[in-house]
Amino acid sequence: MGIGSNRVENFECRETVLTIPAEAMLPPPPQQEEEIHKVCLPPKQTTCQKLKHKLSEVFFPDDPFYKFQNQSWLRKVILGLQSLFPVFEWGPGYTLALFKSDIVSGLTIASLAIPQGISYAKLANLPPIIGLYSSFVPPLIYSILGSSRHLAVGPVSIASLVMGSMITEAVSYNEQPTLYLKLAFTATFFAGVFQASLGLLRLGFVIDFLSKATLVGFMAGAAVIVSLQQLKGLLGISHFTSKMQLIPVMSSVFHRKDEWSWQTIVLGFIFLLILLGTRHISIKKPKLFWISAAAPLTSVILSTLLVFLLREKAPGISVIGHLPKGINPPSLNMLYFTGPQLALAIKTGIITGILSLTEGIAVGRTFAGLKNYQVDGNKEMMAIGFMNMAGSCSSCYVTTGSFSRSAVNYNAGAQTAISNVVMSAAVLITLLFLMPLFHYTPNFILAAIIITAVIGLIDYQAACRLWKVDKLDFVACVCSFFGILFISVPMGLAIAVGVSVFKILLHVTRPNTIVLGNISGTQIFQNLDRYRDASRVPSFLILAIESPIYFANSTYLQERILRWVREEEERVKATNDSPLKCVILDMTAVTSIDTSGIETICELRKMLMQKSLQFVLANPGGNTMEKLHKSDALERFEFNGLYLSVGEAVKDISSLWKRLP
């Protein structure tokens, strides 16, 4: 075997099939000389081909166009309609048996959606009727465009809280109700535009910046703030702070003790205990889900009757009051596209849009996994976006898939999105005929319903797992939690996202480098710190980099490798071991390299040559190999500078040293 057999010669070598016999794992007989394989360049591609491949991986990782291949034009039209409107996919096979299941589940979630809709609207500082409007139109839109069979659409606590807190910081509903409504509807419109744009442009990876750790802390902090805000209703306080931080809320509670109503406190906590008890029963025995599903509406009916009967003896109990009858009035003329508060509406829309989109897709995929079907994330973004855009024009605020209602929908036996249509029909009947019945509905029951719904968002077990597995994730979680409690909801979320981005930057700018050793009797080289069987190879320092080499980390990697070399030389001197002659850099995990990285590799080679040390690269990936070749960096390594594996590099260089005088 010639000395230069490890060089990059041409593209033909990519057709070579490498077969490693079992005997290769054992030390060869002294007379046997093993083949040193060539390191090959990847297949040649034009810049346009590379760009096309890269864009397809970014925007079309699921290859959505494969089903259109080799189809007639009529079939392509049908497939196109099914892609845009999933109802055309499952609609033709819809049966009466499926409809019976959807009716039961639709009526069940309606019993939960009606009281929750009223409650969440108050959480967003909106009139209660807006919550019912938002439970009527958006589910109809989603049933046509959505790809989930079990997602129950409507207002949710997190989006309601964020919208209410952000708009209230600038505009008070009590002082400027019309402007407040305009901002709420406009924020909903921009949330829908943002969500639909992500789906149309296939930019769903944007919402991935909200990590699991961030959401755990965010939801827990929001749940605590929401629960504390409901003390206003449970205690009967009429003058309460509009701020969402822990200290102002608790200060308002204790400074308004003169407004506390003992009748409200007694009845409120009784119904709260009942709702929490039914929730606990349904958690322990999932087959009894209908108990917690029916409990909110039942509690609303019972508390309304009770307050109506006690209206003369307990006039201090706060009630909802008059709610107008009729379906959603148009609100297109209320969209706010000019004025000093437009930036606030856009910011509120984007933040609530991201949060509601994250929750909706996560819930949809959760229940799809239980039934072994797929939910298309981009279709969901477009469906949720278009339903919010339509909702903003029909007096609705931000809606998405609710976990609590979707869980009830799933357990009630929903088969298709028709359950959302049934729920909308039940809400429609309520809007047309039953609104006067809610006049004496007490505010304390709405507060109890909200607390019961959000208390499940406090997932302390997930926080414990974060602490056990990843401390930085736990820091992001804690920052999100305390940021919401003591600063504000948007700032708490921003801080948590900042910590998550810092974690990404830390991994990019300070990648892991390790020293490898040989496991005796094999061609395997592994981390010396992890494997006790691994031992150093005399005269060799074998290093591995576990990340791409970019401008952001190239300087650090150069300094770190030189430090490894210095420490190895000190170790050799202290132990009288064989002197260091060669540094091998295992590039198996280096998925990419840029020009700064290439310059770093060349600079390292120069600096090591000045120390009379040989510098060798092992197993660079295809993309890395191509860039090294085009930059002419490989020519500087000359012979015996590039190998297919660390094992071959050690064997070939060792044999070369033996042949030299």
Side-chain angles (χ1 to χ4, degrees):
M1 175 59 60
I3 294 177
S5 60
N6 59 318
R7 288 178 294 175
V8 179
E9 296 180 352
N10 53 50
F11 290 101
E12 296 300 323
C13 63
R14 67 175 180 266
E15 300 177 358
T16 304
V17 178
L18 303 181
T19 304
I20 302 178
E23 299 81 30
M25 304 301 292
L26 300 174
Q31 71 277 8
Q32 182 180 353
E33 186 176 354
E34 292 190 4
E35 179 184 3
I36 304 301
H37 298 87
K38 299 176 182 177
V39 182
C40 303
L41 289 168
K44 191 172 182 179
Q45 289 183 313
T46 64
T47 303
C48 290
Q49 288 174 325
K50 293 178 184 177
L51 181 62
K52 179 181 177 182
H53 175 73
K54 197 69 176 178
L55 291 176
S56 66
E57 289 300 313
V58 171
F59 297 107
F60 305 102
D62 55 342
D63 191 15
F65 302 112
Y66 80 96
K67 58 185 177 182
F68 292 92
Q69 297 174 1
N70 303 320
Q71 301 289 345
S72 64
W73 68 269
L74 179 60
R75 181 60 181 165
K76 288 181 179 179
V77 171
I78 295 173
L79 291 173
L81 287 174
Q82 290 177 350
S83 298
L84 294 174
F85 306 99
V87 66
F88 287 111
E89 189 171 352
W90 54 263
Y94 197 71
T95 63
L96 182 61
L98 296 176
F99 184 56
K100 290 178 181 178
S101 299
D102 288 336
I103 284 182
V104 174
S105 57
L107 293 175
T108 305
I109 57 174
S111 67
L112 185 61
I114 292 170
Q116 281 191 350
I118 296 173
S119 304
Y120 292 156
K122 290 183 70 66
L123 183 59
N125 298 319
L126 291 166
I129 192 65
I130 301 295
L132 290 180
Y133 292 158
S134 303
S135 300
F136 171 50
V137 172
L140 294 176
I141 305 295
Y142 183 83
S143 63
I144 298 173
L145 299 175
S147 60
S148 173
R149 304 172 196 168
H150 301 97
L151 197 68
V153 172
V156 293
S157 58
I158 298 298
S160 302
L161 170 69
V162 173
M163 175 172 284
S165 62
M166 293 185 69
I167 298 179
T168 303
E169 288 180 358
V171 178
S172 171
Y173 178 77
N174 294 327
E175 297 175 3
Q176 298 174 287
T178 302
L179 178 59
Y180 192 97
L181 283 175
K182 286 183 177 180
L183 291 176
F185 295 148
T186 306
T188 301
F189 175 79
F190 282 111
V193 170
F194 178 72
Q195 292 165 336
S197 299
L198 290 182
L200 288 170
L201 300 176
R202 304 183 72 83
L203 297 174
F205 57 85
V206 171
I207 64 174
D208 292 337
F209 281 95
L210 285 178
S211 65
K212 175 67 175 176
T214 301
L215 291 175
V216 168
F218 175 80
M219 290 186 175
V224 172
I225 287 295
V226 168
S227 300
L228 293 176
Q229 276 280 334
Q230 303 319 303
L231 292 175
K232 173 186 178 181
L234 287 177
L235 300 177
I237 301 174
S238 55
H239 298 87
F240 200 73
T241 180
S242 60
K243 296 182 179 179
M244 293 289 178
Q245 294 81 16
L246 176 65
I247 295 175
V249 169
M250 297 308 298
S251 177
S252 183
V253 168
F254 290 106
H255 280 87
R256 297 291 181 180
K257 287 190 290 186
D258 57 315
E259 297 183 6
W260 291 13
S261 169
W262 69 268
Q263 299 100 327
T264 301
I265 294 173
V266 171
L267 292 175
F269 278 94
I270 287 175
F271 277 99
L272 177 60
L273 290 175
I274 291 173
L275 289 169
L276 291 175
T278 57
R279 180 179 179 274
H280 181 73
I281 292 172
S282 296
I283 291 175
K284 292 295 183 181
K285 297 183 178 180
K287 291 184 178 179
L288 299 178
F289 71 92
W290 55 270
I291 294 178
S292 62
L297 186 59
T298 304
S299 299
V300 167
I301 295 172
L302 292 177
S303 62
T304 302
L305 287 173
L306 192 60
V307 171
F308 176 75
L309 296 174
L310 298 175
R311 65 187 183 281
E312 295 181 357
K313 295 182 179 180
I317 297 178
S318 175
V319 297
I320 291 178
H322 173 71
L323 293 178
K325 291 197 299 183
I327 61 173
N328 304 32
S331 58
L332 181 61
N333 61 326
M334 296 187 71
L335 296 183
Y336 185 93
F337 294 124
T338 57
Q341 305 295 345
L342 179 60
L344 173 64
I346 295 175
K347 182 173 71 171
T348 304
I350 291 176
I351 293 178
T352 55
I354 291 175
L355 290 173
S356 59
L357 199 60
T358 303
E359 181 175 356
I361 293 178
V363 172
R365 285 176 173 168
T366 298
F367 292 104
L370 295 176
K371 284 293 184 179
N372 197 28
Y373 69 93
Q374 281 190 326
V375 167
D376 190 322
N378 290 292
K379 289 181 183 178
E380 289 297 286
M381 292 178 198
M382 289 188 286
I384 295 173
F386 285 128
M387 80 180 186
N388 278 319
M389 292 169 65
S392 67
C393 301
S394 55
S395 301
C396 304
Y397 76 106
V398 173
T399 55
T400 188
S402 164
F403 184 83
S404 59
R405 288 193 292 274
S406 299
V408 170
N409 196 31
Y410 174 83
N411 289 321
Q415 299 295 322
T416 67
I418 292 297
S419 60
N420 279 294
V421 178
V422 176
M423 180 190 71
S424 295
V427 174
L428 174 62
I429 294 172
T430 303
L431 287 170
L432 292 176
F433 306 108
L434 305 180
M435 296 314 298
L437 301 179
F438 290 96
H439 185 280
Y440 287 98
T441 299
N443 284 315
F444 68 74
I445 194 62
L446 302 181
I449 290 171
I450 290 175
I451 293 174
T452 306
V454 302
I455 200 170
L457 299 177
I458 304 176
D459 192 353
Y460 65 92
Q461 293 178 333
C464 292
R465 286 194 298 271
L466 291 174
W467 171 258
K468 183 179 179 180
V469 176
D470 193 320
K471 300 299 186 292
L472 271 178
D473 274 350
F474 181 77
V475 170
C477 174
V478 170
C479 287
S480 179
F481 180 77
F482 286 107
I484 290 171
L485 287 185
F486 294 102
I487 305 177
S488 69
V489 174
M491 281 303 299
L493 184 62
I495 291 171
V497 172
V499 172
S500 298
V501 172
F502 171 75
K503 177 184 174 182
I504 296 173
L505 293 176
L506 187 64
H507 286 306
V508 170
T509 59
R510 294 295 183 267
N512 194 29
T513 59
I514 56 176
V515 179
L516 303 181
N518 177 244
I519 296 179
S520 180
T522 72
Q523 291 290 317
I524 300 173
F525 290 80
Q526 285 292 346
N527 191 342
L528 282 172
D529 294 331
R530 285 179 57 198
Y531 294 87
R532 294 182 179 179
D533 294 339
S535 58
R536 297 176 184 272
V537 181
S539 301
F540 286 91
L541 174 62
I542 306 170
L543 302 174
I545 299 175
E546 297 181 337
S547 83
I549 305 178
Y550 291 135
F551 65 93
N553 62 23
S554 58
T555 301
Y556 164 78
L557 287 173
Q558 178 176 322
E559 294 172 351
R560 189 66 185 91
I561 291 172
L562 291 175
R563 177 182 162 192
W564 281 121
V565 172
R566 186 184 73 246
E567 291 175 351
E568 178 67 11
E569 289 176 336
E570 292 174 354
R571 187 195 67 81
V572 167
K573 186 177 181 181
T575 59
N576 292 322
D577 206 347
S578 300
L580 180 62
K581 296 181 181 180
C582 179
V583 177
I584 300 177
L585 187 63
D586 185 0
M587 303 183 73
T588 302
V590 179
T591 55
S592 182
I593 193 170
D594 67 357
T595 52
S596 298
I598 294 171
E599 289 298 322
T600 296
I601 295 294
C602 296
E603 188 67 23
L604 273 172
R605 177 184 167 277
K606 285 183 183 179
M607 299 175 77
L608 293 177
M609 283 184 64
Q610 292 174 0
K611 291 175 172 285
S612 300
L613 296 176
Q614 186 176 356
F615 187 45
V616 174
L617 305 181
N619 196 27
N623 185 36
T624 304
M625 183 67 186
E626 184 178 20
K627 290 184 179 180
L628 289 171
H629 175 68
K630 287 185 176 180
S631 65
D632 297 329
L634 293 178
E635 293 182 1
R636 306 179 192 181
F637 283 83
E638 300 174 347
F639 300 120
N640 305 94
L642 183 66
Y643 290 86
L644 188 60
S645 70
V646 173
E648 289 191 353
V650 171
K651 286 183 177 294
D652 192 49
I653 295 172
S654 298
S655 63
L656 178 62
W657 289 345
K658 292 178 181 178
R659 291 197 296 268
L660 292 175

